[in-house]
Amino acid sequence: MKKLIIIVITIITTLLVSKVWAQESDTDLREKLQLGAKIGTNYSNVYNSKGQDFKADPKLGLAAGAFVIIPIGKYIGVQPEVLYSQKGFKGSGVVIGESYKFTRTTSYIDIPLMFALKPVEYITILAGPQYSYLIKQKDVFTSSVSSFNVEQQFKTDNIRKNIMCFIGGADVNFKHIVIGLRAGWDILNNNGDGSTTTPQYKNVWYQATIGYSFCNN
């Protein structure tokens, strides 16, 4: 399934790049400050970092937000972003002879702070830390005998309480259109009091977005 999703994303990206290439002018924007908005999807799952038996299936979620491209010369820069990002997983099994399905959707405010390497005009290679703030969690359980739907809201008033992640990927940049591909995974929980813990269930996700850059020619 993962290979199929990657193939589909690659085909869509190739088609978009071909269309944009034909429409956009050959303007090198690597030394220009750019602001933009983006939207796309996450393909996410969780895994058990403690090594116990646990199997989950990936699910799709929304990813949308804004980005700033800050040049430091022609070939390097930084790219902070703020995203609303849905992650989670799906699962199924049998309990006391009854089959069930379970879906968890977690909604985060993701703040990636990425270093940007711009070796050529249209390609930006990105990598760096990301801080994720959980704002909502929705669990849906269904079986032949019972079902429930639980949604929890979380406050994010302590900015030190977050999940530190690592994210990397690349952008294809044209005059106004930015096509992004990312991969990321959780590293540790910052508890807000200076201490950290390793989460037992870590997110891992792939992200594909298309954005619009409000830049001057």
Side-chain angles (χ1 to χ4, degrees):
M1 184 61 182
K2 186 185 297 185
K3 292 182 178 180
L4 177 60
I5 293 293
I6 294 173
I7 292 172
V8 171
I9 290 174
T10 302
I11 293 172
I12 293 174
T13 301
T14 302
L15 292 174
L16 287 171
V17 170
S18 299
K19 183 177 180 180
V20 172
W21 187 280
Q23 294 177 346
E24 297 288 336
S25 62
D26 296 332
T27 303
D28 192 340
L29 302 174
R30 284 178 287 177
E31 294 183 90
K32 290 185 177 292
L33 176 69
Q34 301 175 59
L35 306 176
K38 64 197 299 188
I39 190 169
T41 186
N42 289 330
Y43 182 70
S44 64
N45 204 345
V46 295
Y47 66 95
N48 190 338
S49 64
K50 303 299 183 181
Q52 300 175 2
D53 290 336
F54 178 79
K55 184 180 184 301
D57 295 318
K59 68 184 295 294
L60 293 173
L62 175 67
F67 60 90
V68 182
I69 301 173
I70 304 172
I72 306 174
K74 185 173 183 178
Y75 296 103
I76 61 174
V78 292
Q79 185 168 319
E81 301 180 355
V82 178
L83 302 172
Y84 172 79
S85 184
Q86 289 182 330
K87 301 166 191 171
F89 65 94
K90 298 186 293 184
S92 61
V94 177
V95 175
I96 317 176
E98 297 292 337
S99 60
Y100 71 88
K101 293 183 178 180
F102 179 79
T103 301
R104 169 166 291 178
T105 302
T106 48
S107 299
Y108 290 90
I109 298 298
D110 286 346
I111 304 179
L113 304 171
M114 295 175 289
F115 174 79
L117 177 64
K118 300 172 281 188
V120 295
E121 181 176 346
Y122 295 104
I123 302 296
T124 302
I125 300 169
L126 298 156
Q130 173 175 288
Y131 299 92
S132 296
Y133 300 86
L134 180 63
I135 59 173
K136 185 169 63 175
Q137 178 174 296
K138 182 177 181 181
D139 294 330
V140 178
F141 176 91
T142 58
S143 71
S144 59
V145 295
S146 65
S147 64
F148 67 80
N149 186 327
V150 177
E151 187 170 303
Q152 302 178 69
Q153 303 282 345
F154 300 92
K155 294 182 178 180
T156 58
D157 51 345
N158 185 355
I159 63 172
R160 297 177 63 193
K161 186 175 183 179
N162 54 62
I163 300 175
M164 181 180 177
C165 318
F166 180 82
I167 188 167
D171 283 348
V172 181
N173 303 277
F174 298 95
K175 185 169 65 176
H176 292 293
I177 303 301
V178 181
I179 298 169
L181 295 175
R182 307 277 192 275
W185 53 93
D186 294 347
I187 299 175
L188 52 82
N189 290 329
N190 293 314
N191 298 320
D193 57 2
S195 64
T196 61
T197 58
T198 300
Q200 180 173 358
Y201 297 101
K202 293 186 176 183
N203 282 302
V204 58
W205 67 96
Y206 302 92
Q207 184 182 94
T209 59
I210 182 167
Y212 186 87
S213 173
F214 302 92
C215 60
N216 295 322
N217 292 341

